[in-house]
């Protein structure tokens, strides 16, 4: 399993790859795929897809999820996103599209793939990058959280003017690693059905992000 392909991320994270916790994490992940290769998501070559599609210098927005969808055929390496053919949309993703419709007046897209966002500089990062089928958070507390902490720290050191959308308590734990003076940090409840009505709906994060970019003379994201 190749750790990461994208060169700019590999450069800033190279020290992280050599740390004992990361080597132990990779051993655990390898053993999981070896034991039940069809029950660990996403497939091995897609684990670091969020980085491969969004080089460090291109990052405009960071959306932090929890862990990949534990349903076969859903996870493909980008948080909240699914492959083009997946119907119906997962409930969290459906709620994201509902908020975009309310916030920006945009209709639901034809498919649930968020690759179109990644290609505009939206880093779609889960806190934990792998999961066992049917067992949400089954790969939590194995080292992924430490790795994604390092990602956020490195990004905040390298880039300013980034919009961070932190949805839910796990994502919001990363806020302490960010400089709110040089970035826009937006926080809301998770878009899952259990919490979306507690403040995710009506959070207007998508319009706030684009207004922030426009104020800086930059192009907004085509959500």
């Amino acid at each position: 399993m190749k750790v990461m392909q994208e060169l700019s991320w590999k450069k800033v994270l190279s020290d992280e790859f050599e740390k004992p916790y990361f080597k132990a994490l990779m051993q655990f992940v390898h053993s999981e795929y070896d034991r039940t290769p069809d029950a660990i998501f996403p497939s091995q070559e897609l684990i670091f897809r969020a980085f491969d599609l969004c080089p460090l210098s291109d990052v405009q927005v960071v959306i932090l999820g929890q862990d990949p969808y534990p349903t076969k055929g859903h996870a493909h390496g980008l948080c909240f996103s699914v492959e083009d053919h997946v119907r119906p949309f997962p409930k969290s993703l459906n709620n994201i599209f509902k908020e975009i419709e309310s916030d920006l007046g945009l209709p639901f897209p034809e498919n649930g793939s968020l690759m179109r966002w990644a290609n505009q500089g939206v880093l779609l990062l889960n806190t934990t990058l792998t999961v066992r089928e049917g067992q949400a958070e089954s790969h939590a507390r194995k080292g992924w959280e430490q790795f994604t902490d390092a990602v956020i720290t490195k990004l905040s050191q390298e880039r300013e003017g980034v919009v961070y959308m932190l949805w839910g308590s796990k994502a919001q734990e990363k806020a302490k690693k960010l400089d709110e003076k040089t970035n826009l940090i937006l926080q809301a409840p998770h878009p899952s059905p259990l919490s979306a009505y507690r403040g995710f709906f009506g959070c207007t994060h998508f319009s706030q992000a684009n207004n922030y970019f426009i104020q800086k003379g930059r192009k907004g994201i085509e959500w």
Side-chain angles (χ1 to χ4, degrees):
M1 182 175 69
K2 295 179 179 179
V3 171
M4 191 178 290
Q5 300 297 304
E6 205 287 315
L7 295 178
S8 62
W9 283 111
K10 285 178 73 172
K11 182 178 179 180
V12 299
L13 293 169
S14 58
D15 290 347
E16 212 65 26
F17 299 147
E18 298 303 317
K19 292 181 178 179
Y21 89 87
F22 190 84
K23 291 182 177 181
L25 170 62
M26 289 298 98
Q27 288 179 350
F28 166 74
V29 172
H30 273 296
S31 68
E32 285 284 88
Y33 281 108
D34 286 344
R35 187 159 59 98
T36 51
D38 296 329
I40 307 301
F41 308 142
S43 55
Q44 292 190 51
E45 69 274 12
L46 299 180
I47 293 174
F48 296 98
R49 194 181 198 186
F51 302 95
D52 295 333
L53 291 178
C54 190
L56 180 63
S57 60
D58 291 351
V59 177
Q60 308 296 321
V61 178
V62 177
I63 296 179
L64 271 174
Q66 184 169 294
D67 56 358
Y69 293 121
T71 302
K72 187 180 289 291
H74 282 194
H76 68 145
L78 305 174
C79 74
F80 296 110
S81 181
V82 291
E83 297 282 10
D84 291 359
H85 64 273
V86 173
R87 296 291 187 284
F89 298 152
K91 293 179 180 178
S92 292
L93 180 60
N94 199 64
N95 286 341
I96 290 169
F97 291 150
K98 280 184 179 179
E99 175 57 22
I100 291 173
E101 183 179 50
S102 171
D103 187 17
L104 299 174
L106 297 175
F108 271 51
E110 294 181 358
N111 64 69
S113 173
L114 302 182
M115 284 184 62
R116 60 186 180 276
W117 293 3
N119 292 332
Q120 296 178 77
V122 180
L123 181 65
L124 294 160
L125 182 66
N126 278 310
T127 304
T128 300
L129 300 188
T130 53
V131 72
R132 175 169 284 278
E133 182 176 9
Q135 301 176 37
E137 295 193 84
S138 50
H139 286 186
R141 296 171 292 280
K142 302 293 185 182
W144 279 128
E145 294 89 345
Q146 186 173 344
F147 174 70
T148 50
D149 277 354
V151 169
I152 295 300
T153 299
K154 294 288 187 182
L155 179 59
S156 66
Q157 292 169 349
E158 297 283 333
R159 298 289 313 282
E160 295 182 352
V162 173
V163 176
Y164 292 87
M165 297 184 182
L166 308 180
W167 299 337
S169 59
K170 290 188 178 297
Q172 289 164 11
E173 289 172 4
K174 309 286 191 190
K176 58 182 178 291
K177 301 184 178 300
L178 303 172
D179 186 350
E180 61 183 14
K181 296 178 182 178
T182 57
N183 302 284
L184 179 62
I185 302 169
L186 303 174
Q187 301 188 47
H190 195 276
S192 76
L194 296 175
S195 54
Y197 287 95
R198 299 176 189 164
F200 178 78
F201 290 139
C203 69
T204 68
H205 282 187
F206 302 97
S207 60
Q208 288 188 64
N210 281 358
N211 289 337
Y212 178 77
F213 293 138
I214 290 167
Q215 290 169 9
K216 291 183 171 295
R218 291 155 58 188
K219 184 181 178 182
I221 303 295
E222 293 181 10
W223 299 108

